[in-house]
């Protein structure tokens, strides 16, 4: 889990959304969250808005992992056709295989199969919600002013269209950065590596050709992940529906990553990089980490502004400088640069995609 980076600690997602909410819309908000770790980031913002006096309704499946009752919002539950044991089995399987070893040729297929273990359950959730006449009637009669959702899966996006509500999106990103394609941002294949290529933003000509070819697979990935939702939306909205068109209806995109840690690319005016709000709340820095943040070493022996990790030549069997994973992450996150020393030919990669 990531914590708030010092470079973005000054930006509060809650305060930002409060500002947007207070000046653009009214005071009644419908929240369609994504269960699991996605909710941990959204929950803080929802609670801050509640503290400001807004009337908030959170729509959740009756069987869920983290979407619990709270005094700060009204929870509206809808029935789903599975029990808690099945849900926990799916999450357990997903977690077990998430870090399974994979090659370049099998990475996409392995990732897809593992993700579908929980995505299929999320689709059942969405189907249950959009086909529950009692819940839909309640939402229509409640006269909400706007909808706040995590659009990683499009149930909230479809519901916003059905209810005719303005939308605010909070999320970490789609597979293959589809948010930029759907949001209208330029996404040049010459500079932006496509998913599963492991390229940096400094590609050779053969790598750019490969990146160009992989780019065509994104449409197929979209079809695999979202085609069922288009059918579901078409039934609810009583007409042919294009999900990319729904995503492009001028929402406010609150992007939970830091622009400076991503590959350089243009972003549309309605995309706001809020950085750092990922699951785990920040804690007080230890004395050791404070020294690292100020440019010193943990052992106080030598000031430094970067990490130097000794990397032996591949295949030599020679040991490199022993640096623990914790130390590398500490120093990368706190100082912003990582220098790799050795004979490797791979160019430096951005911290956001290392």
């Amino acid at each position: 889990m990531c914590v708030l980076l010092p470079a973005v600690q000054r930006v509060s997602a809650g305060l930002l959304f409060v500002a947007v909410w207070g000046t653009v819309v009214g005071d009644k908000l419908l929240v369609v969250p994504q269960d699991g770790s996605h909710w941990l980031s959204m929950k803080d913002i929802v609670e801050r808005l509640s503290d400001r006096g807004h009337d908030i309704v959170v729509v959740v499946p009756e069987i869920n992992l983290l979407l619990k009752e709270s005094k700060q919002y009204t929870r509206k539950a809808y029935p789903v056709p599975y029990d808690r044991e099945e849900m926990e089995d799916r999450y357990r399987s997903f977690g077990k295989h998430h870090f399974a070893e994979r090659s370049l040729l099998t990475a996409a297929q392995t990732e897809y199969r593992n993700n579908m273990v929980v995505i299929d359950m999320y689709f059942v959730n969405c189907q249950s919600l959009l086909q529950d006449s009692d819940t839909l009637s309640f939402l229509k009669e409640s006269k909400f002013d706007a909808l706040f959702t995590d659009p990683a899966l499009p149930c909230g996006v479809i519901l916003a269209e059905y209810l005719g509500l303005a939308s605010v999106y909070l999320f970490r990103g789609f597979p293959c950065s589809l948010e930029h394609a759907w949001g209208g941002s330029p996404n040049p294949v010459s500079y932006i590596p496509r998913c599963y290529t492991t390229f940096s933003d400094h590609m050779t000509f053969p790598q750019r050709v490969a990146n160009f070819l992989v780019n065509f697979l994104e449409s197929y990935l979209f079809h695999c992940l979202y085609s069922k939702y288009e059918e579901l939306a078409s039934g609810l909205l009583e007409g042919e529906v294009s999900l990319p068109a729904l995503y492009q209806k001028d929402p406010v995109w609150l992007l939970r990553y830091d622009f400076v840690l991503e590959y350089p690319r243009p972003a549309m005016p309605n995309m706001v990089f809020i950085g750092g709000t990922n699951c785990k709340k920040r804690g007080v820095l230890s004395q050791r980490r404070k020294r690292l943040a100020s440019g010193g070493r943990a052992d106080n022996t030598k000031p430094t502004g970067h990490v130097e990790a000794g990397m032996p030549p591949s295949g030599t069997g020679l040991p490199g400088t022993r640096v623990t994973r914790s130390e590398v992450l500490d120093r990368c996150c706190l100082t912003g640069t990582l220098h790799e020393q050795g004979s490797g030919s791979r160019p430096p990669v951005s911290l956001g995609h290392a």
Side-chain angles (χ1 to χ4, degrees), residues 267-283:
M268 300 304 287
N270 60 330
M271 292 182 167
V272 184
F273 293 86
I274 60 176
T277 52
N278 292 289
C279 303
K280 190 174 181 179
K281 294 184 179 180
R282 64 180 178 181

Side-chain angles (χ1 to χ4, degrees), residues 146-218:
L147 185 143
F148 185 34
T149 188
D150 183 323
L153 294 173
C155 198
V157 179
I158 297 169
L159 193 58
E161 178 70 11
Y162 175 73
L163 298 174
L165 299 177
S167 303
V168 178
Y169 298 161
L170 175 77
F171 74 126
R172 178 59 183 86
F174 288 111
C176 303
S177 300
L178 287 174
E179 68 271 19
H180 290 278
W182 291 348
S185 299
N187 197 25
V189 295
S190 295
Y191 299 98
I192 310 300
R194 292 321 191 229
C195 52
Y196 306 115
T197 62
T198 71
F199 298 152
S200 77
D201 53 336
H202 298 283
M203 289 178 277
T204 63
F205 179 74
Q207 288 175 333
R208 291 187 181 191
V209 172
N211 201 53
F212 176 78
L213 296 175
V214 171
N215 180 59
F216 286 104
L217 296 176
E218 293 184 358

Side-chain angles (χ1 to χ4, degrees), residues 44-65:
D44 287 342
I45 299 176
V46 169
E47 291 178 346
R48 178 69 64 90
L49 290 170
S50 176
D51 291 340
R52 294 294 184 93
H54 296 292
D55 184 7
I56 299 174
V57 174
V58 180
V59 179
V60 306
E62 63 180 1
I63 305 297
N64 62 77
L65 189 66

Side-chain angles (χ1 to χ4, degrees), residues 3-4 9 280-286 289-290:
V3 295
L4 285 173
Q9 286 178 351
K280 190 174 181 179
K281 294 184 179 180
R282 64 180 178 181
V284 178
L285 286 176
S286 66
R289 296 190 181 192
K290 284 181 180 179

